[in-house]
Structures are given as structure tokens and as C-alpha cells.
Amino acid sequence: MAKMEVKTSLLDDMIGVGDMVLLEPLNEDSFINNLKKRFDHNEVYTYIGSVVISINPYRSLPIYTPEKVEEYRNRNFYELSPHIFALSDEAYRSLRDQDKDQCILITGESGAGKTEASKLVMSYVAAVCGKGAEVNQVKEQLLQSNPVLEAFGNAKTVRNDNSSRFGKYMDIEFDFKGDPLGGVISNYLLEKSRVVKQPRGERNFHIFYQILSGASEDFLCKLKLERDFSRYNYLGLDSAKVNGVDDAANFRTVRNAMQIVGFMDHETQSVFEVVAAVLKLGNIEFKPESRVNGLDESKIKDKNELKEICELTGIDQSVLERAFSFRTVEAKQEKVSTTLNVAQAYYARDALAKNLYSRLFSWLVTRINESIKAQTKVRKKVMGVLDIYGFEIFEDNSFEQFIINYCNEKLQQIFIELTLKEEQEEYIREGIEWTHIEYFNNAIICDLIENNQTGILAMLDEECLRPGTVTDDTFLEKLNQVCATHQHFESRMSKCSRFLNDTSLPHSCFRIQHYAGKVMYQVEGFVDKNNDLLYRDLSQAMWKASHSLIKALFPEGNPAKINLKRPPTAGSQFKASVATLMKNLQTKNPNYIRCIKPNDKKAAHIFNDALVCHQIRYLGLLENVRVRRAGYAFRQAYEPCLERYKMLCKQTWPHWRGPARAGVEVLFNELEIPEEEFSFGRSKIFIRNPRTLFKLEDLRKQRLEDLATLIEKIYRGWKCRTRFLLMKKSQIVIASWYRRYAQQKKYQKIKSSAIIVQSYIRGWKARKLLRELKHQKRCNEAATVIAAYWHGTQVRREYRKFFRANAGRKIYEFTLQRLMQKYFLEMKNKMPSLSPIDKNWPARPYLFLDSTHKELKRIFHLWRCKKYRGQFTDQQKLIYEEKLEASELFKDKKALYPASVGQPFQGAYLEISKNPKYKKLKDAVDEKIIIAEVVNKINRANGKATSRIFLLTKNNVLLADQKSGNIKSEVPLGDVTKVSMSSQNDGFFAVHLKEGSEAAGKGDFLLSSDHLIEMATKLYRTTLSQTKQKLNIEISDEFLVQFRQDKVCVKFIQGSQKNGNIPTCKRKNNRLLEVAVP
Ligand SMILES: Nc1ncnc2c1ncn2[C@@H]1O[C@H](COP(=O)(O)OP(=O)(O)O)[C@@H](O)[C@H]1O
Ligand SMILES: [Mg+2]
């Protein structure tokens, strides 16, 4: 959980305490332990309020990556663990956003990491400030000025392999947006004595070694140098090589950097020529030569080196040679030349070398400034980075150390002033009551050194300017007189006897109690170094050089500009420039980086408690903490404070509506923090005791755990709910899509069905139409065809005869006609007899004449019959008519009929007229007799037959007695209504009489005759012709007859053959008369 927490305060995951102000209890041990603990955990930075303590890790830590830059970018100072980037960011942002010029003051011993820190600050600012081609070039030039200056101004010392031997203050200039515009570098007092002499275990400036290792043979040759350190007197031999430093590679880096900064090729060349000349100067040696006046005069031992130097610099060899041998002193209008002895010659040589080099260095700074100068005239915001040499205490401390330590003293002074001032101002700003805190103020030491009348520097100047013999000893004497009473000044020779017996203090030394410790200075060389004399002959010789750079370095050599006034001494120059610097710094908002050296071995992981303790003491860090805590140990703006602790109180959690200050008040009341423990400033809460803060932190930690659980709970719930809602939403979406899809499908189905149905209907309609059209077309075609055929037929008919094709038909028809002809002719000869009953008929000759043949036979038969009939007489005609009538009436009805066909109807079977017996009868009948025949009359009562003569005349039917011929009954034909008979082969028949007629009195007649067919036929014909009525003839085997009043049924039955062919009649009862027929 803790790991996941985003840092919002340096209090998070803190090792020890990140801010010493919070240290509890506060004492030296706890202070060092805290630093050590943090150092062991790779936490090299610790705060005292806004001051950063930096402990040199002596190894590269992964805390300067671009990711780190991003992490610290735009974050509040106390938000993350202490880091130099936090300070840089704070400084840059207040510069950019609050328009306050800034200065970054980096202090500490030599090798404590000041230069590295300054570079880190610059690189951080470069990384976070504006981007763009132009800006990037400015940045690059600013950054690349470092390697150039380091090559010429840094050297390996016992303390530091890359010790800055000059003080550097760089102003980086920004525009209103915070984009860098350029910069100005000021350098302070290069340790030029190093050029000619280095302490044991130390080296000359890097550049000498770099040229010899890194330059090409060609280039070396041009510079008239050899690649051999031992060839040069100025290069200390014992530590020419430094571990882990690649001089050759660094040389390439320097040349590259020079190019980037903007050095022209010829300029670079000139610079290296000067460096070579300095190196070679060291090789010039002198030997004494006695002169006439008894004085020794120095002579150059080997002029070869001198010659090469002169070639290199374009100086007339004789001029230079002379300058090394003579010294011209001008006083007023006089010029006095004196010869130099060997020692003086060496002094002159070294002075020239030192001057050449230090002037070259100053020229380099000027030249770099020219390049990095801001191009615009708009108002600039400035961030100054001060990387000055650290406090130095060596075994032998000389003028340089004195100057350096003075500078550090001044810086401490400004630190004290500004820190306290700032602290006090804050309390006033915030309206908090403030009580003064005691602390050591080193103003008194500064005064010891810089006081215009009684200061050491003033005294030194006085000595230097004093006429008469001036030595370092006279200077010390003077010091002893003036400063003896000063509590920070110690000397054996002083009037005060305090140190008379102090054997640790040699007679030729004086000791100063610096804020950082006591330092013993060898007085030897103070005067010379302060004078910084270069014989005029030498500077004039240099000015005469044709080498333009060297000429420019020695403007005072120009005889036209001869200035008899002494140049200002080194001490006063330095004092002045330090004063300017301090003034400059005071106008800016200070940011402190206090570098601490953990060990003397330049080794990682070693933390020397004693060494650190010493530094802490003289840096006054504890006082710093105390001052900071005197009022209140911790302060924080209301907003971040409320933000950090608001979860500790219900009213302020989770949101406080209202001013942050009120929120914090509520919060502190709720937590029951004693009132004396805190104070409300205008914009900040001030917490007196760190314990209170830690209590708050503990509470916060506990509360955070609870909150984490709560948040986890809510988050889980939220997640589940979100997921659920999402799923629900998804489900709806899916469902709607599915529904849409289904509906679409359904719709498509319906649509396609509709289209199918539609298409079928359309198809059907179309086909119907097509059929109709086709039909119509066919009709048309048929009509056309018919017409064509008809026309064709007509035409063919018309033209047939003209065609041979028709010959066949003609032939056929002809042949047919011929055959018919032949047939008919043959038939003529084959005709059968004319008898109608002849059945013969010739055979058919051709099948196709079949019907014709039959028809012809029929026609012939009819014709033959007609012919036959034509032969008949009227008599015969009548007979046949009667026969025909009989056939119509009885054929197929009466079994007796076939037998009658062959019998001719004779009618008058009885020859009445001829038989006299019937004379009377003949008379009684005057009409023509049609039938005269004997019949049996059946007695109605018993069925017995009696013969009677039956007569039929034109109008009557008569029955007469056979014997007598007496008419027994006479019936007019009109009274005969019906004749009935059987269908059998018998001759019985009944004649029914009209009811009520005269004859009917006795009843119907029942008769039997052999000629029944003939009699019945003639009776029918006669009745028809007389009465115009058809006589009803009933043929039935059972019929009724009227006997007087009774109706008797006559029934024919099959009788036996005993009576032969004569049927027997029997009256069964009065209703039935049975006739048995054979
Ligand atoms: N922050 C750091 N990280 C790693 N090494 C450092 C750091 N600061 C200093 N050093 C090491 O210490 C050496 C001396 O530091 P430097 O800044 O030159 O000291 P100073 O300028 O105070 O004399 C550097 O050369 C480097 O090796
Ligand atoms: Mg340094």
C-alpha cells in the first residue's frame, strides 16, 4: 500500500528525517547520525528548511536521469524527497513565475561536490526551460563553457582530482517566458602559482596534460612540443597520471566544446600556442655569468628553447633575451636599467609564465562571455550560480589560501545574513511574534581581513606600497602590531603574550580563527604575490609579439600607454571583486547548497564522522537548524497542510468548503493540539515542535490505512457496479441489435415472400398476356396460313391442270371410271332372274365397290318387285291387299297366322247361289256376299258347338242355320265393336256387340272357324270401309264376353290331343268358359 502511494510530501517513506528541522532531539550526534543513515541509504540530500545539504557520494547515483527531472518538474519543494533538483526547480520557477532574480550559492570544502552541484543545477534548468533551435543553442553553449573552463582552470589536488582553481560565478539570463537568453561568467582569482609549481601529489592545470596526451603528432609538431611530460619542468612528475581520467579523450572534448562555444579555428590555435609557450618557458634555464662590475648576471643556458618560444609567439628573440637579463625601472623622466641575477631571472620567467597563463584564462572567460552574451536588450531575469573554491586548510597555507578562505568567510557572512533576514522577514510577513536567536556571526573575522584601515589586506597593501625595504617579515611585524588584540588573530610575535609559548605556531606564520577553523598562514610570499609584479620589460616584450593574442594579453606593454601608476594589488583587486559579488548576491533571492565531504579518500560508501562533524560545525549547520526552529520548526502553507491532514477530521473530510486557514483551525482544534504548539500565520501554519508534526503524521498514516480499506471497498463496489452497468448496457445493446437483426430477417423474409408472390402473380399475368398474345399471333398466323393455303389452293386449283402432278389423279379417276364401266357392263350380262324371290346375285368384283354393289342389288330387287307388281290384275291386287292387311294385323301375334299365308282367301266357300237349299237365304241377302262359310257357333251355356253359316256382307254379319239356311241373327257392322281371339293355334274368336243394340240381346257371339285369319281380316276391312272406323281386334288368351246379362271370361288352356286338332270348349261356371287348345 505504502509503495503505491504517490508521494505528496518529503515526509512519505522518509529515511531518518528529510528535513533536519524535524530532528528530535537536536544535537550534533543525532544530526550526524541522521546524515549518516541517509547517506547509507543513498540519500545524499537533506534539507534544513530550504537549504540543501549535499554529501558527496563519490560515485554516480541513478538520481539524475531525465525521469527524475520529470519527477521533480513543477512540484513543490517539500513534496518529494530532498533533491538538488527540487531546489533548482524552486529557484527556476520563482524566477520565471515571480520575477525574482535568483542565486544559487554552493559552498563547501574542496572536493565536497560544489562544481558537480553547479553543473547539476545548470543541466536541470537547461532540461526544464524552453525548447527550440535557438534556445537549445544557447543552452548548449552555456553548458559547454564548463569543460573549457575546467580544462584551463581545474587541476588535480590532494583533495579533489578535479579541483576548481578559480572562483566562478555565472549569471544565466532568461527572458520573461523563462527561456535562456545567454549568460555572463565572472572568474575570481585563478590560482596561477600552480603554473610554475605544484604541491606534492598534485598536478598542473589539466590542459597541459591534455595537449600532450591528446593532440596529434602534427599538432604537437606545430606547437613545437613533445609527447613527454618529463620533458617539461613545469609539469610535476609524481602524479602526471590521474586514475580514471583520460586526458586524451578530455582534450577532444575540450576542443569540441570550444567549437560549440564559438571559438574560431585560429583562436583555438592561438590559445594552444600560448599554452605551449607557457610550458616551454619553464624549460628556459639560466646560468650566472660574472660581470665586470663584480655582479652576477644571468645568462640563458640553452637558447634553443627560447628560439622556439619566439618562433611560436612571433617575438624577436633578442628582445625576449634582453627582458630576461635586464630590468628597466622608470621613475619620473628617468629610465634606469639594471641587470638581473639568476634568481631574479627565474622569478621573471615564472612571473611571465603565470601572467601569460592567468591572462589567457581571463581572456578565455571574456571570449566565452562574448559568445554566450544575450543578444537582446530586453529586460532579463537572472539566475546566478556561484561555484567558488572551498575553504582550504593545507599544511602550508599561503596567500592563495588566505584569499580563498577570506572569500568563504564572506560567503558565510552572506549566508548568515540572508538566512536570518529571510527567516525574520517571513515571521514578520506572516505576522508571527519573533524572538531574537543567538548565533555566531563571522562579521568580526571579515572585518579582521577586509577593514580598510586595520584589515590584514589593507596592511599588506600598505606594506607593498611603502618605500624602503619591504619583506614578508616586515609585513608580519606590522600585523603583529595592529591585529594583536583581535580575538581571531594569533601570532607568536604579537605583543600580546597569549601565543608566546605556542610552539605549534612558527615565528614566520600567523593564524586566523576562521569560522571554519583555525588556519595557519606562512607569511612568505605574501608581499610578492600581492604585488603580482611583472617586469615592464617583459610585458613590453610580449606586446611586441606578432602573435595577436599575446599582444592583446599585455596591453600595458604598449609604450604609448605607459602608466606609471602602480596597478592595484592582487589583494585589493580580489577584495573589490568579492565586494561586488556580495552586493550582486544580496539583490537576489539566495538558494543554498551546502556541500559536505564524507571522507578524505575520495571514496564511496565511507562516512567519516569526525570529518563530517567538523564541517557541520564550521558551516554552522546546527545553528542554522536552531535558528530555523527557534520560532517554529515546521511551517506549511494552509492549502497543502489541509490537503495533507484533512482526513483526520470529520468536518474537513473529504472536502472543506471555505478558506483553507479556517479548515486548518478546525482540524487542529479537533485534534486537540495544545495551543502553544502552533501559530497561524497569514498564509502558513507554523508548528513549533517536530513532535507535533510526527504525531500528525502518525495519525495520518493510521487514517490512511482505514481510508485505503474504505477506498478499496468503494472501488470494488464501484468496479462491480460499473461492470454490471456495462454488462446491462451491453445486454440491451446486444438485445436491441439482435432484435433489429431478427426483425430485419423477418422483414426480409416477408419482403422476399412478397416479391416471390408478386413475381408469381406478375409471371402469371405476363404468361396469360403472353398466351393471349401468342394465341392472337397464332390466330393471325393461322389466318395467314389459311389464307395462304386458301390462296394456294385456289391458285393450285386454277393452275392444277397445268401441272403434271395432277396427272395421277386424272389417271386415277380415269381408271376408276374405266373400272366402273367395266363393272357395270359385266353386271349387265350377269343379271339374275326377275323373280323377286330369286336370291342369286353375282359376286362383287372390287372391294371398293362393296357399298355400290349392295345398293345396286337393293335397287335391282326393288325394281324387280315393282316390275312383278306391275303384272298384277285388280283381282289379284285385292287378294294381295287383303293378305297384306292380314299380315299387319296378325303377324307375330297369332300362332295360327303363318299357316294362313299360303292359303288364298276365297271368301265364298259356300256356293249359296248354286245350292238350291239356300235359295231362300240367297234371297234374303240382296247384297254382295263377301264371306260365306260354315262356322261352329259355341253354345253359350255349355260350350257345345253348332254349325252355322257365317255371312259377311257390305253392311252386316249374318248367322244362318246350315241346314235350313234360316237366318238366325243379323248384325249391322256398326254394332260390331270388337273381335277377340287367342294368340294360339286355334280358330276360336268372339264377336263383341255394341251394348244396347238389337243383336246384343243374346250376347256376344262365340265362334270357331278354320279360316279365322281371313274372316277377321275381311271383317276389319269391310268395317273400315263402311263405318270409317277401325275394328278393335284383341289378341289375348283371356278375355271377357257378354252373355245376356253376364260377363263370362273365356280362358284358353293347353288341351290334350284326343280330339285331334279340334279344340274343345267347356263351360266351367257362369263366369268362366275354358277352351282347351291342342
Ligand atoms: N553528486 C555527485 N555524484 C557523484 N559524484 C560526485 C557528486 N558530487 C561530487 N562528486 C565526485 O566528487 C568529485 C569532486 O567534486 P567537485 O564538485 O569537483 O568538488 P568541489 O568543486 O567542491 O571541489 C567529483 O569529481 C566527483 O567525482
Ligand atoms: Mg570545484
Side-chain angles (χ1 to χ4, degrees):
M1 192 65 209
K3 270 195 180 156
M4 278 172 60
E5 199 181 340
V6 179
K7 275 202 174 190
T8 59
S9 165
L10 65 88
L11 297 168
D12 294 319
D13 294 337
M14 196 164 65
I15 294 157
V17 288
D19 191 341
M20 286 295 185
V21 173
L22 303 177
L23 196 61
E24 189 69 32
L26 176 68
N27 54 47
E28 223 168 64
D29 287 345
S30 65
F31 196 102
I32 292 171
N33 283 337
N34 188 38
L35 280 185
K36 186 172 181 178
K37 187 173 172 192
R38 288 177 66 74
F39 180 77
D40 290 343
H41 286 84
N42 295 335
E43 290 281 352
V44 295
Y45 298 108
T46 308
Y47 294 151
I48 300 175
S50 58
V51 174
V52 175
I53 304 176
S54 158
I55 306 184
N56 188 349
Y58 279 120
R59 69 199 166 95
S60 66
L61 293 175
I63 53 170
Y64 308 113
T65 55
E67 290 78 49
K68 276 279 166 189
V69 171
E70 277 313 307
E71 192 182 332
Y72 278 87
R73 188 173 185 167
N74 291 335
R75 299 288 288 268
N76 281 329
F77 191 69
Y78 294 108
E79 238 178 89
L80 300 171
S81 352
H83 199 291
I84 192 166
F85 286 171
L87 178 126
S88 317
D89 194 70
E90 178 84 1
Y92 175 69
R93 278 195 296 132
S94 44
L95 168 113
R96 187 190 61 192
D97 305 336
Q98 289 164 33
D99 202 12
K100 281 195 217 156
D101 285 354
Q102 302 288 320
C103 66
I104 306 214
L105 305 180
I106 307 169
T107 57
E109 284 188 19
S110 176
K114 298 182 297 297
T115 308
E116 292 297 322
S118 77
K119 286 193 271 189
L120 286 169
V121 171
M122 280 169 70
S123 64
Y124 179 84
V125 171
V128 299
C129 69
K131 306 238 152 54
E134 221 171 287
V135 172
N136 281 349
Q137 198 201 338
V138 173
K139 280 189 208 170
E140 196 58 16
Q141 287 191 338
L142 289 174
L143 292 178
Q144 290 301 324
S145 66
N146 272 328
V148 180
L149 291 179
E150 283 192 11
F152 287 88
N154 287 22
K156 181 206 150 140
T157 67
V158 284
R159 303 277 149 92
N160 183 355
D161 288 347
N162 182 35
S163 181
S164 322
R165 304 320 296 163
F166 67 105
K168 181 180 151 198
Y169 173 75
M170 180 170 185
D171 265 339
I172 311 172
E173 299 166 329
F174 296 86
D175 66 3
F176 70 98
K177 300 194 296 294
D179 290 351
L181 295 169
V184 185
I185 297 172
S186 317
N187 64 316
Y188 298 97
L189 197 74
L190 180 76
E191 185 200 38
K192 56 189 170 193
S193 61
R194 185 169 293 274
V195 177
V196 296
K197 190 167 185 283
Q198 304 92 40
R200 254 175 194 284
E202 300 194 356
R203 286 205 318 183
N204 210 323
F205 293 101
H206 294 323
I207 190 68
F208 297 113
Y209 305 91
Q210 289 174 355
I211 287 187
L212 296 187
S213 319
S216 63
E217 291 298 339
D218 231 24
F219 192 53
L220 279 183
C221 197
K222 252 190 213 165
L223 299 178
K224 304 185 191 303
L225 291 174
E226 285 169 58
R227 202 189 291 283
D228 180 6
F229 300 148
S230 62
R231 277 277 293 109
Y232 300 99
N233 294 339
Y234 281 168
L235 300 187
L237 273 184
D238 49 348
S239 50
K241 272 260 158 258
V242 182
N243 276 349
V245 174
D246 183 350
D247 286 316
N250 285 347
F251 182 64
R252 287 190 288 278
T253 313
V254 170
R255 291 204 63 160
N256 184 42
M258 287 175 88
Q259 205 176 358
I260 292 174
V261 171
F263 282 82
M264 311 303 266
D265 280 348
H266 72 269
E267 285 175 323
T268 316
Q269 174 79 20
S270 303
V271 168
F272 289 124
E273 278 164 5
V274 174
V275 174
V278 170
L279 206 49
K280 289 170 88 67
L281 269 179
N283 286 358
I284 293 179
E285 284 177 352
F286 303 94
K287 58 183 182 198
E289 217 178 65
S290 303
R291 282 197 33 180
V292 220
N293 58 6
L295 286 173
D296 269 356
E297 195 189 271
S298 77
K299 270 271 179 269
I300 294 171
K301 263 191 199 162
D302 173 10
K303 290 194 184 159
N304 203 29
E305 203 77 40
L306 184 73
K307 189 177 145 239
E308 282 185 359
I309 293 173
C310 291
E311 280 170 13
L312 210 56
T313 55
I315 301 174
D316 193 342
Q317 196 180 330
S318 58
V319 174
L320 193 55
E321 201 180 334
R322 199 193 135 74
F324 281 134
S325 311
F326 295 93
R327 179 183 174 199
T328 311
V329 181
E330 280 177 60
K332 304 201 176 138
Q333 249 63 48
E334 278 174 75
K335 259 191 191 178
V336 185
S337 236
T338 52
T339 54
L340 298 178
N341 61 22
V342 173
Q344 286 171 322
Y346 274 114
Y347 177 83
R349 178 197 76 171
D350 288 347
L352 178 62
K354 289 192 276 187
N355 265 290
L356 250 182
Y357 192 82
S358 71
R359 289 174 192 222
L360 173 69
F361 187 75
S362 298
W363 179 86
L364 277 173
V365 173
T366 321
R367 176 67 189 80
I368 290 172
N369 278 339
E370 241 167 65
S371 276
I372 63 175
K373 195 168 70 188
Q375 298 301 317
T376 55
K377 288 225 156 51
V378 293
R379 206 182 76 78
K380 299 155 201 156
K381 303 178 180 187
V382 177
M383 179 185 282
V385 182
L386 181 69
D387 168 25
I388 207 117
Y389 17 54
F391 199 82
E392 281 181 355
I393 311 174
F394 295 134
E395 272 171 33
D396 291 335
N397 302 293
S398 180
F399 182 72
E400 285 84 1
Q401 276 69 45
F402 176 73
I403 290 292
I404 287 171
N405 290 345
Y406 161 61
C407 178
N408 278 281
E409 206 68 62
K410 289 294 281 183
L411 280 177
Q412 174 69 6
Q413 173 72 56
I414 201 169
F415 171 71
I416 288 168
E417 269 185 19
L418 291 182
T419 323
L420 289 170
K421 211 171 88 195
E422 170 56 27
E423 185 85 13
Q424 282 175 5
E425 272 173 9
E426 176 157 43
Y427 286 127
I428 292 162
R429 224 179 16 247
E430 293 288 334
I432 302 281
E433 219 175 282
W434 163 249
T435 41
H436 188 72
I437 288 292
E438 277 304 321
Y439 57 93
F440 172 69
N441 193 340
N442 69 339
I444 184 165
I445 307 175
C446 296
D447 189 64
L448 170 67
I449 299 170
E450 66 179 4
N451 188 294
N452 281 337
Q453 274 84 47
T454 57
I456 296 173
L457 282 176
M459 235 96 66
L460 183 60
D461 278 1
E462 223 179 281
E463 272 300 294
C464 290
L465 296 174
R466 183 173 61 85
T469 39
V470 175
T471 61
D472 295 320
D473 292 333
T474 57
F475 163 60
L476 185 59
E477 242 167 68
K478 184 155 189 140
L479 278 188
N480 285 338
Q481 286 167 20
V482 178
C483 307
T485 51
H486 198 284
Q487 47 184 337
H488 290 270
F489 180 83
E490 302 172 3
S491 161
R492 267 308 252 297
M493 307 283 283
S494 67
K495 273 182 262 166
C496 171
S497 57
R498 266 195 302 157
F499 303 100
L500 276 175
N501 303 321
D502 189 345
T503 46
S504 66
L505 185 64
H507 289 291
S508 61
C509 294
F510 66 93
R511 200 153 56 186
I512 294 181
Q513 280 184 34
H514 283 292
Y515 77 98
K518 290 184 177 179
V519 182
M520 190 168 69
Y521 298 99
Q522 297 279 347
V523 81
E524 189 199 329
F526 262 64
V527 173
D528 271 348
K529 283 174 181 168
N530 191 39
N531 270 329
D532 190 23
L533 266 189
L534 179 68
Y535 299 144
R536 186 163 298 154
D537 304 71
L538 279 172
S539 54
Q540 281 176 353
M542 289 297 120
W543 183 80
K544 283 185 186 139
S546 62
H547 193 279
S548 55
L549 176 56
I550 293 179
K551 195 184 184 83
L553 292 181
F554 293 88
E556 84 271 23
N558 186 352
K561 282 190 188 165
I562 258 184
N563 185 0
L564 291 180
K565 235 183 108 194
R566 283 183 65 101
T569 59
S572 60
Q573 266 184 47
F574 189 74
K575 196 174 112 183
S577 58
V578 164
T580 326
L581 176 66
M582 294 305 139
K583 225 185 230 158
N584 185 357
L585 293 180
Q586 262 158 347
T587 63
K588 296 191 164 98
N589 185 45
N591 300 274
Y592 293 99
I593 300 170
R594 319 228 73 182
C595 297
I596 288 180
K597 206 168 140 170
N599 60 70
D600 265 334
K601 302 190 174 85
K602 307 176 195 168
H605 301 297
I606 297 175
F607 189 92
N608 183 334
D609 288 19
L611 189 72
V612 175
C613 178
H614 175 68
Q615 292 174 76
I616 286 167
R617 259 185 223 158
Y618 76 67
L619 285 175
L621 293 185
L622 257 116
E623 281 97 330
N624 192 184
V625 179
R626 284 203 187 98
V627 167
R628 182 100 186 152
R629 270 182 27 172
Y632 296 90
F634 184 80
R635 69 214 59 190
Q636 196 172 29
Y638 288 118
E639 284 82 11
C641 175
L642 184 64
E643 197 55 37
R644 189 163 177 86
Y645 301 113
K646 64 179 180 180
M647 69 288 284
L648 298 180
C649 165
K650 268 187 189 154
Q651 285 100 300
T652 52
W653 177 255
H655 297 294
W656 170 255
R657 311 211 182 279
R661 179 187 166 137
V664 176
E665 274 172 28
V666 168
L667 184 77
F668 276 54
N669 282 337
E670 186 77 14
L671 293 175
E672 291 176 348
I673 296 169
E675 258 179 54
E676 64 276 10
E677 277 300 312
F678 59 89
S679 241
F680 292 108
R682 289 210 177 83
S683 67
K684 287 178 183 173
I685 172 90
F686 289 77
I687 295 176
R688 195 176 293 283
N689 204 317
R691 253 170 302 164
T692 312
L693 184 70
F694 292 144
K695 186 180 148 197
L696 283 175
E697 275 299 302
D698 285 346
L699 287 173
R700 181 175 179 268
K701 214 168 176 181
Q702 274 172 24
R703 178 77 178 120
L704 276 184
E705 269 162 31
D706 297 346
L707 284 178
T709 320
L710 184 74
I711 290 170
E712 199 174 30
K713 194 174 85 184
I714 291 173
Y715 172 71
R716 286 213 187 118
W718 172 81
K719 208 171 147 188
C720 282
R721 189 172 154 68
T722 318
R723 196 177 138 75
F724 165 72
L725 288 177
L726 193 76
M727 276 166 72
K728 199 171 144 186
K729 215 167 129 190
S730 310
Q731 185 266 326
I732 291 171
V733 170
I734 293 169
S736 69
W737 276 93
Y738 174 74
R739 272 196 221 120
R740 192 191 125 153
Y741 166 78
Q743 287 296 330
Q744 230 172 24
K745 270 225 132 154
K746 198 171 154 190
Y747 166 73
Q748 273 166 359
K749 217 163 159 184
I750 292 173
K751 194 175 156 186
S752 63
S753 309
I755 290 174
I756 288 174
V757 171
Q758 207 176 36
S759 65
Y760 270 103
I761 290 175
R762 286 210 187 120
W764 172 72
K765 273 187 175 169
R767 276 193 298 279
K768 200 174 145 193
L769 188 70
L770 182 70
R771 264 203 307 276
E772 272 165 21
L773 289 173
K774 268 186 179 170
H775 179 70
Q776 227 167 46
K777 197 178 159 197
R778 266 220 303 277
C779 285
N780 286 346
E781 280 172 2
T784 315
V785 169
I786 291 169
Y789 272 93
W790 190 76
H791 283 304
T793 314
Q794 260 196 341
V795 170
R796 273 195 297 280
R797 198 177 284 162
E798 200 176 327
Y799 288 93
R800 186 174 295 147
K801 48 191 182 240
F802 305 118
F803 291 120
R804 185 182 282 204
N806 296 321
R809 163 150 249 151
K810 279 224 158 131
I811 292 166
Y812 168 73
E813 278 170 5
F814 178 75
T815 313
L816 217 59
Q817 276 177 7
R818 284 295 113 224
L819 283 174
M820 299 280 273
Q821 222 169 25
K822 192 180 160 207
Y823 165 68
F824 285 122
L825 286 174
E826 276 176 6
M827 282 296 287
K828 198 174 111 187
N829 300 332
K830 280 189 197 166
M831 276 299 137
S833 72
L834 287 181
S835 164
I837 53 172
D838 187 356
K839 299 258 193 234
N840 286 331
W841 183 251
R844 161 175 55 81
Y846 303 109
L847 183 63
F848 80 95
L849 290 174
D850 189 36
S851 51
T852 315
H853 198 65
K854 277 182 190 151
E855 186 69 11
L856 203 59
K857 182 185 174 186
R858 195 180 66 82
I859 294 170
F860 177 75
H861 180 70
L862 288 177
W863 175 76
R864 181 165 73 179
C865 288
K866 188 170 183 282
K867 201 114 180 159
Y868 182 77
R869 282 198 305 273
Q871 291 164 5
F872 287 168
T873 58
D874 287 346
Q875 189 77 36
Q876 277 175 315
K877 244 185 208 170
L878 199 68
I879 289 167
Y880 280 109
E881 267 180 19
E882 279 178 348
K883 278 285 183 191
L884 194 61
E885 194 82 68
S887 150
E888 280 170 8
L889 290 173
F890 300 108
K891 193 176 176 190
D892 299 331
K893 291 174 185 165
K894 178 89 178 140
L896 188 67
Y897 171 70
S900 76
V901 176
Q903 294 170 357
F905 291 164
Q906 290 170 1
Y909 292 96
L910 270 177
E911 303 238 324
I912 291 174
S913 44
K914 286 174 184 166
N915 197 340
K917 207 175 116 168
Y918 299 128
K919 183 73 184 42
K920 198 182 147 193
L921 181 63
K922 170 82 192 62
D923 294 345
V925 181
D926 46 316
E927 288 163 314
K928 192 187 167 213
I929 294 169
I930 298 165
I931 292 173
E933 173 61 313
V934 178
V935 293
N936 291 319
K937 181 182 177 283
I938 307 302
N939 189 332
R940 291 174 189 118
N942 51 21
K944 284 204 180 128
T946 44
S947 297
R948 287 275 190 280
I949 295 167
F950 182 87
L951 287 179
L952 174 65
T953 63
K954 261 178 93 180
N955 292 319
N956 297 305
V957 174
L958 298 161
L959 281 176
D961 189 77
Q962 191 185 19
K963 281 165 194 167
S964 60
N966 291 339
I967 296 173
K968 294 279 208 182
S969 36
E970 189 180 347
V971 181
L973 281 180
D975 288 345
V976 176
T977 55
K978 184 165 105 177
V979 173
S980 299
M981 64 190 78
S982 79
S983 62
Q984 304 198 34
N985 200 13
D986 65 286
F988 273 98
F989 69 100
V991 178
H992 300 274
L993 299 180
K994 196 175 183 178
E995 261 181 82
S997 67
E998 199 182 325
K1002 286 173 191 169
D1004 297 338
F1005 300 115
L1006 198 59
L1007 304 169
S1008 162
S1009 167
D1010 290 340
H1011 301 99
L1012 171 63
I1013 301 296
E1014 188 181 355
M1015 286 171 72
T1017 307
K1018 285 196 171 165
L1019 187 60
Y1020 178 81
R1021 280 178 63 92
T1022 312
T1023 312
L1024 187 66
S1025 67
Q1026 285 302 315
T1027 62
K1028 305 297 177 209
Q1029 278 179 348
K1030 279 182 179 172
L1031 183 64
N1032 190 8
I1033 293 171
E1034 187 186 353
I1035 299 170
S1036 168
D1037 287 344
E1038 223 180 79
F1039 52 80
L1040 288 174
V1041 286
Q1042 191 81 33
F1043 283 177
R1044 287 180 198 246
Q1045 264 76 41
D1046 306 323
K1047 287 213 191 235
V1048 176
C1049 178
V1050 180
K1051 195 173 180 183
F1052 295 84
I1053 57 163
Q1054 208 70 35
S1056 60
Q1057 288 264 303
K1058 73 183 173 201
N1059 288 347
N1061 249 352
I1062 300 150
T1064 50
C1065 211
K1066 228 188 236 171
R1067 174 98 189 219
K1068 288 285 183 175
N1069 53 43
N1070 53 351
R1071 289 274 177 242
L1072 181 67
L1073 186 75
E1074 241 178 33
V1075 181
V1077 287

